[in-house]
Amino acid sequence: MVGHEDSGASKKKSTDSSNDLPTFNAENLQNNTKIIYYSRTFLSIIGGVIAGILGYTGLTGFVFYFLIMAITSLGLAAKAKFSIHSYFDCWNRLLLDGFLGGLLSYVLFWTFAYDIVHIF
Amino acid sequence: MAEDLVLDTAIRDWVLIPLSVVMVLIGILRYFVSKLMRSYQLPDAKVVKEGQVVIRARNLRAAANFIPLKSFRARRTYFSNEENGLLHVPKGQAQNAQAQMFSDPNMAMDMMKKNLSMIIPQTLTFAWVNFFFSGFVAAKIPFPLTQRFRSMLQNGIDLSTVDVSYVSSRSWYFLNLFGLRGLFSLILGEENATDDTQRMMQMSGFGFDPTRSLSAEKDSLDIVQHEWALPKFEQRAEAVLRRLVR
């Protein structure tokens, strides 16, 4: 995927599928969560620059942000081969965690790129 | 009402980019300075012991379902027994630890140092921005805002008909302050000292009290319902071994 950098670390299996009861390896779970956070931050910065260059204003820009976040979720799910339960404890963590955390960085870089390209 | 103002290229060269670059560099500097200034204080033996007891109790709570009921109960009594259980602290001693912590000079110095290293660069940068970069339009934010934000975002500009999207450099400073946190977490590795809003949230919830955490652990240990998670383990082991042999 263009611009999708996975921080070089691989996701590790957090659960052992041979038990009936799900047990989690806390360290791997934390590592996977960190990977999600880095991916989202990086993509929100890149998305901000793209939105600024393309000249989106107002609502279109925010819609683009949510689109970027959805693409991130899709990419992460594909990387986990869609078997979420062996890497994370629940779906929400992959889809919704840190959704709004990248918004401020996105707005900063969006403003920056927009100004440089269009106003000046 | 949506005429585009044409702004001087010099503003871009001498305001936006230098301000962002300076803030990034100050963040990196602050990270390294806080790393260098971190003083190692010898941990108090009693505090460490209590911390380890809490960790043991937490492990017991997490893995409670993997040991038989009787052994779980035995361990639980060891912790929360009224007379000599490890987690039980008589009420009289409960208040001392907090008072002791705040008068402990080492810890107070540490907190002060951390706070100062956070506040001083921010204050200095803000004063610098106000002094040099005030009185003109610095940037245009790409989304429209209502009139109420005018006083907040445009405080150097005294024309009231200019669109609220055109902001002064003070608001560019604040935008940078919040937006560069994500960038710092990417280039500086793990959660670092530049995440000041998170630090402020932590400060408000301060009040770390070892005896309080002990009684909290005791309560949560008392609540745990034991459910034996490995009931037919022999059959399951047999099934796995059969599969391997086949």
Side-chain angles (χ1 to χ4, degrees):
Chain A
M1 191 176 275
V2 175
H4 186 115
E5 174 198 309
D6 213 354
S7 304
S10 58
K11 297 189 187 207
K12 306 182 192 127
K13 283 209 175 262
S14 318
T15 63
D16 188 5
S17 56
S18 64
N19 288 342
D20 292 331
L21 195 66
T23 57
F24 301 108
N25 182 351
E27 185 185 310
N28 287 348
L29 198 63
Q30 204 180 23
N31 187 32
N32 294 346
T33 313
K34 225 183 342 178
I35 289 180
I36 295 180
Y37 177 66
Y38 285 156
S39 304
R40 284 197 195 276
T41 310
F42 188 69
L43 273 181
S44 53
I45 290 179
I46 300 286
V49 174
I50 293 178
I53 293 177
L54 291 178
Y56 292 149
T57 59
L59 201 59
T60 323
F62 287 109
V63 166
F64 190 66
Y65 174 70
F66 286 115
L67 191 67
I68 293 275
M69 286 292 119
I71 292 180
T72 313
S73 299
L74 200 63
L76 287 168
K79 177 83 179 176
K81 300 185 188 56
F82 289 106
S83 62
I84 299 292
H85 288 291
S86 63
Y87 290 105
F88 299 99
D89 44 357
C90 63
W91 273 98
N92 290 345
R93 188 176 293 277
L94 178 66
L95 295 179
L96 300 178
D97 201 17
F99 211 71
L100 295 177
L103 187 64
L104 282 171
S105 303
Y106 174 81
V107 167
L108 171 68
F109 281 92
W110 179 25
T111 308
F112 198 46
Y114 182 79
D115 283 346
I116 287 184
V117 173
H118 290 274
I119 303 292
F120 291 113
Chain B
M1 206 26 214
E3 326 93 21
D4 277 345
L5 296 180
V6 175
L7 298 172
D8 196 357
T9 316
I11 298 184
R12 173 188 65 188
D13 292 342
W14 294 101
V15 174
L16 287 194
I17 296 182
L19 193 53
S20 298
V21 167
V22 162
M23 290 187 75
V24 169
L25 290 179
I26 284 185
I28 296 180
L29 190 69
R30 193 163 52 176
Y31 172 69
F32 282 121
V33 164
S34 72
K35 249 191 162 175
L36 286 175
M37 279 193 0
R38 198 168 299 171
S39 58
Y40 288 107
Q41 53 193 44
L42 289 179
D44 191 16
K46 187 163 179 297
V47 170
V48 170
K49 209 162 69 158
E50 282 170 356
Q52 296 292 358
V53 164
V54 167
I55 291 177
R56 272 178 70 188
R58 220 173 274 167
N59 280 341
L60 177 64
R61 205 162 22 114
N65 295 330
F66 293 114
I67 48 178
L69 185 61
K70 238 186 277 186
S71 29
F72 171 69
R73 284 235 189 94
R75 286 174 174 84
R76 184 163 67 182
T77 328
Y78 174 65
F79 279 114
S80 46
N81 193 9
E82 288 295 311
E83 285 109 43
N84 54 2
L86 290 181
L87 295 179
H88 185 251
V89 174
K91 288 286 170 33
Q93 294 180 8
Q95 295 308 315
N96 291 0
Q98 199 165 8
Q100 196 182 28
M101 175 146 335
F102 280 123
S103 64
D104 189 13
N106 278 344
M107 202 160 311
M109 263 309 279
D110 224 6
M111 267 174 57
M112 280 258 302
K113 255 195 280 189
K114 275 191 214 150
N115 275 342
L116 280 184
S117 81
M118 196 72 45
I119 291 181
I120 284 191
Q122 266 190 28
T123 319
L124 283 179
T125 315
F126 189 54
W128 177 65
V129 165
N130 268 344
F131 181 62
F132 280 111
F133 300 128
S134 58
F136 57 90
V137 169
K140 176 180 196 288
I141 45 182
F143 48 91
L145 289 172
T146 62
Q147 297 298 318
R148 276 183 307 162
F149 287 100
R150 183 185 287 277
S151 63
M152 187 164 56
L153 298 175
Q154 277 190 349
N155 50 16
I157 307 162
D158 291 325
L159 305 170
S160 58
T161 56
V162 173
D163 209 358
V164 190
S165 299
Y166 290 96
V167 299
S168 68
S169 39
R170 194 187 287 190
S171 45
W172 177 246
Y173 167 72
F174 280 116
L175 194 62
N176 265 310
L177 192 64
F178 292 121
L180 286 177
R181 275 182 354 204
L183 189 68
F184 282 140
S185 74
L186 277 184
I187 59 181
L188 293 180
E190 73 286 355
E191 285 307 315
N192 45 53
T194 57
D195 205 352
D196 49 351
T197 51
Q198 222 184 42
R199 173 74 60 85
M200 277 193 263
M201 283 194 289
Q202 257 180 11
M203 278 299 144
S204 59
F206 194 63
F208 170 71
D209 190 5
T211 57
R212 210 189 302 166
S213 66
L214 282 185
S215 46
E217 272 305 314
K218 174 166 174 288
D219 290 337
S220 37
L221 198 56
D222 283 337
I223 292 178
V224 170
Q225 300 273 22
H226 183 264
E227 198 181 297
W228 176 230
L230 308 172
K232 300 198 184 59
F233 205 62
E234 296 95 355
Q235 276 94 328
R236 217 171 20 202
E238 181 200 347
V240 168
L241 286 175
R242 273 191 203 284
R243 254 185 288 144
L244 283 178
V245 163
R246 227 184 296 137

